[in-house]
Amino acid sequence: MRHEMRAEYAEVDEADEAGGPAGAWPVKTWHMVRPGEEEAMCGRVLRPDARGLSEAEWGRTPEPFCHTCGALYLRESP
Ligand SMILES: [Zn+2]
């Protein structure tokens, strides 16, 4: 099992929410999630339908990534 990146979305109002799937929303921050867990390593609870990315994309996305998750992840990754 590997870590996975999960998206935290900017606040969306109900109109946006009705407008499309979560995959179409703008990503605010990327978090890292431990294998088999729902919560980000920094403790933030992410939407179950949030976009996911391979941990290989860490640091390569146009959106910022969570500093707390980054620090914890670097300590755990080989
Ligand atoms: Zn985080």
Side-chain angles (χ1 to χ4, degrees), residues 41-59:
M41 292 169 78
C42 63
R44 182 169 287 274
V45 178
L46 302 167
R47 298 179 59 98
D49 59 352
R51 258 166 75 200
L53 276 182
S54 154
E55 62 180 333
E57 300 301 314
W58 191 252

Side-chain angles (χ1 to χ4, degrees), residues 24 26 35 49 68 73:
D49 59 352
T68 306
Y73 172 61

Side-chain angles (χ1 to χ4, degrees), residues 32-34 36-46:
M32 192 62 83
V33 180
R34 288 191 186 97
E37 292 189 9
E38 294 286 316
E39 223 172 74
M41 292 169 78
C42 63
R44 182 169 287 274
V45 178
L46 302 167

Side-chain angles (χ1 to χ4, degrees), residues 31 42 66 69:
H31 295 268
C42 63
C66 172
C69 283

